Amino acid sequence: QVQLVESGGGLVQAGGSLRLSCAASGRTFSNYAMAWFRRAPGKEREFVGVIKGSGIQEYTDPVKGRFTISRDNAMNTLYLQMNNLKPEDTAVYYCASDVHGFGGTWSRNYEYWGQGTQVTVSS
């Protein structure tokens, strides 16, 4: 069983920055593929980015060059640095873990999910 707890969401003006954190339980966090997803109002949940245990990252096109995922394996923590935020980034952001380490863009690949943290970007 893995527990994930997100934090760091809030209200920010367009062009601003936020850093989300996701604290994870589990003794082999370093092997997990860890991802961020988001769900905007009235929309389906969508993939934002993933970082594998190897450090390899993948991002969805709308956030490339603006968002960066990192992890601190010693602290069992995942981060999402979001810069140059846009109103269309407004969503609830979720972290998710794939304990088998495969990752990918499909939400079904991830066994554990956090409760989500709200990010609101005003224009």
Side-chain angles (χ1 to χ4, degrees):
Q1 187 77 11
V2 175
Q3 292 185 325
L4 304 173
V5 180
E6 302 98 335
S7 61
L11 173 64
V12 64
Q13 288 188 329
S17 298
L18 280 175
R19 188 176 81 155
L20 306 184
S21 299
C22 173
S25 64
R27 290 179 291 178
T28 56
F29 174 81
S30 61
N31 296 334
Y32 302 165
M34 297 296 299
W36 290 96
F37 286 77
R38 66 186 180 185
R39 176 175 285 157
K43 295 188 177 181
E44 297 289 321
R45 183 169 54 189
E46 67 172 352
F47 170 80
V48 174
V50 61
I51 183 168
K52 294 188 176 183
S54 63
I56 293 175
Q57 300 166 45
E58 181 181 359
Y59 298 91
T60 188
D61 284 345
V63 309
K64 285 180 180 177
R66 300 189 298 121
F67 290 12
T68 303
I69 295 176
S70 61
R71 63 193 300 163
D72 183 337
N73 290 331
M75 297 296 291
N76 278 20
T77 303
L78 175 74
Y79 301 100
L80 178 65
Q81 178 66 44
M82 304 185 292
N83 298 328
N84 190 21
L85 282 160
K86 303 176 180 181
E88 52 264 42
D89 295 317
T90 295
V92 178
Y93 284 72
Y94 300 89
C95 67
S97 66
D98 170 15
V99 299
H100 303 291
F102 300 115
T105 63
W106 286 17
S107 60
R108 69 183 66 181
N109 291 349
Y110 298 88
E111 301 92 355
Y112 299 100
W113 294 80
Q115 82 288 350
T117 186
Q118 176 71 47
V119 172
T120 303
V121 184
S122 63
S123 57

